């Protein structure tokens, strides 16, 4: 399968790295990227072909659009007459399928994806949405590529991708926020910065591993470490009194609302 990436930044490199680790041949990949240093690094690291924007696109079975959302309209309109019958996968946050299809001259074989930063360590989760005219075989092809950097969840409506953005797209930041807070709490208990960091990070890593490997859900696992009248119960009560759970739900809802706004803004053509 011949694969073309438009944009050779962080996400493209993550997906490419995952594919090569699975045995995909770098020689079958072309990366279009303006930065010469990045092109050279990509060639040296993965033995891929590279070219500058504006170079003619060879026939590809799959084109992955991996530029910033603000760059996508210009990039898509520039390649519209060269995409042929390729499956086009866009990972640009916020850009809806109808805008993308319009910019690509009415192209129908489209999958829109919302990945997240743990993709950089092959531990991501992506939400994916296929255009109506995209076949099951194309969905499978997209999933084969995306699963190189983690799990894939398919959604059926554009609005659900706003939800994916709010949960798994922005979610790593919520987790880092909680990790920062736990670290600050350790500092407040008098631990040195390195020890505070170790206590907070390993608590997260261990709790996540336990949750992923356990048949119990998070609620049960939490109750199992919360003895009546004990220390954890006192802490959980303080969290509940401060409505931390409700605040997290409200925060995700605010993120989804912002995702909807951005989708409207970014999908607009200049004359609209
Ligand atoms: N990183 C994430 O966690 C994450 C999560 C979800 C979704 N995404 C989406 O993934 C996409 C890529 O993100 P990223 O973090 O990988 O960004 P990035 O590192 O900035 O990569 C984008 C690359 O595209 C290049 N580029 C700019 N114009 C181009 C053109 N005309 N033709 C070809 N390449 C061009 C950029 O070069 P210059 O730097 O020289 O402009 C840059 O190297 C974004 O749309 C983002 O919304 C990212």
């Amino acid at each position: 399968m011949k694969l073309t990436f438009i944009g050779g930044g962080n996400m493209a490199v993550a997906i490419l790295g995952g594919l090569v680790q699975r045995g995909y041949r770098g020689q079958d990949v072309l990366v279009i990227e303006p930065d010469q240093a990045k092109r050279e690094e990509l060639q040296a690291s993965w033995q891929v072909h590279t070219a500058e924007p504006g170079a003619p696109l060879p026939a590809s079975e799959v084109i992955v659009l991996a530029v910033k959302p603000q760059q996508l309209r210009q990039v898509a309109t520039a390649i519209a007459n060269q995409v042929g019958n390729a499956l086009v996968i866009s990972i640009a946050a916020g850009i809806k399928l109808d805008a993308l299809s319009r910019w690509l001259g009415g192209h129908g074989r489209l999958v829109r994806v919302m990945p997240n930063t743990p993709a950089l360590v092959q531990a991501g989760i992506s939400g994916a949405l296929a255009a109506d005219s995209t076949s099951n075989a194309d969905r499978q092809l997209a999933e084969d590529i995306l699963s190189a950097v983690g799990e894939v969840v398919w959604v059926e409506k554009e609005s659900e991708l706003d939800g994916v953005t709010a949960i798994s797209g922005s979610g790593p930041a919520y987790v880092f926020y909680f990790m920062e807070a736990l670290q600050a709490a350790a500092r407040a208990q008098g631990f040195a910065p390195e020890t505070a960091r170790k206590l907070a990070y390993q608590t997260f890593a261990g709790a996540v591993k336990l949750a992923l490997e356990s048949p119990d859900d998070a609620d049960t696992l939490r109750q199992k470490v919360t003895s009546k009248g004990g220390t954890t119960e006192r802490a959980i009560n303080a969290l509940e009194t401060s409505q931390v759970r409700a605040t997290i739900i409200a925060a995700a809802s605010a993120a989804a609302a912002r995702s909807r706004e951005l989708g409207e803004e970014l999908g607009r053509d200049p004359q609209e």
Side-chain angles (χ1 to χ4, degrees):
M1 177 182 66
K2 299 279 183 204
L3 190 57
T4 296
F5 284 87
I6 314 271
N10 294 318
M11 266 299 156
V13 167
I15 297 172
L16 192 50
L19 288 170
V20 172
Q21 268 181 26
R22 286 177 158 197
Y24 191 82
R25 287 156 28 107
Q27 298 100 299
D28 291 331
V29 178
L30 169 69
V31 184
I32 307 280
E33 164 59 47
D35 184 331
Q36 186 181 352
K38 278 191 201 161
R39 287 200 303 275
E40 286 170 3
E41 201 181 319
L42 285 161
Q43 284 167 18
S45 304
W46 312 108
Q47 289 75 51
V48 294
H49 302 280
T50 64
E52 291 179 60
L57 289 189
S60 303
E61 279 154 277
V62 181
I63 298 174
V64 179
L65 300 175
V67 296
K68 291 276 187 226
Q70 296 77 0
Q71 299 161 332
L72 191 59
R73 192 178 65 82
Q74 184 263 322
V75 164
T77 49
I79 61 164
N81 58 3
Q82 297 181 68
V83 291
N85 192 33
L87 168 65
V88 176
I89 300 175
S90 166
I91 63 167
I95 308 285
K96 292 185 187 168
L97 287 173
D98 64 346
L100 188 57
S101 174
R102 188 170 74 246
W103 296 337
L104 287 170
H107 196 72
R109 285 182 76 189
L110 289 177
V111 172
R112 180 186 158 196
V113 178
M114 184 61 203
N116 68 355
T117 45
L120 302 173
V121 290
Q122 272 96 54
I125 180 153
S126 300
L129 172 71
D132 290 343
S133 49
T134 305
S135 66
N136 285 340
D138 279 345
R139 282 174 176 243
Q140 191 55 55
L141 188 51
E143 185 163 332
D144 288 347
I145 292 169
L146 298 170
S147 61
V149 288
E151 308 256 345
V152 181
V153 170
W154 286 94
V155 299
E156 296 304 322
K157 293 192 298 245
E158 205 101 47
S159 59
E160 290 179 277
L161 275 190
D162 295 316
V164 168
T165 303
I167 304 301
S168 55
S170 301
Y174 316 154
V175 173
F176 299 142
Y177 184 86
F178 206 105
M179 288 167 80
E180 280 174 67
L182 199 55
Q183 217 172 325
R187 292 282 289 136
Q189 292 299 318
F191 292 106
E194 259 322 294
T195 310
R197 181 184 149 107
K198 202 168 177 177
L199 285 168
Y201 282 31
Q202 188 50 39
T203 300
F204 255 86
V208 169
K209 190 169 192 302
L210 182 61
L212 287 174
E213 290 179 10
S214 169
D216 293 335
D217 58 21
D219 178 35
T220 308
L221 287 169
R222 178 174 55 76
Q223 287 179 32
K224 280 185 177 173
V225 285
T226 311
S227 344
K228 199 116 200 81
T231 56
T232 313
E233 187 186 62
R234 185 80 60 92
I236 295 289
N237 285 346
L239 290 169
E240 288 288 299
T241 304
S242 301
Q243 299 196 310
V244 173
R245 181 193 299 259
T247 305
I248 292 170
I249 294 168
S253 171
R258 182 63 185 140
S259 175
R260 283 191 289 278
E261 283 170 19
L262 284 172
E264 294 304 321
E265 286 168 27
L266 293 166
R268 233 173 256 147
D269 289 323
Q271 72 275 14
E272 285 179 31

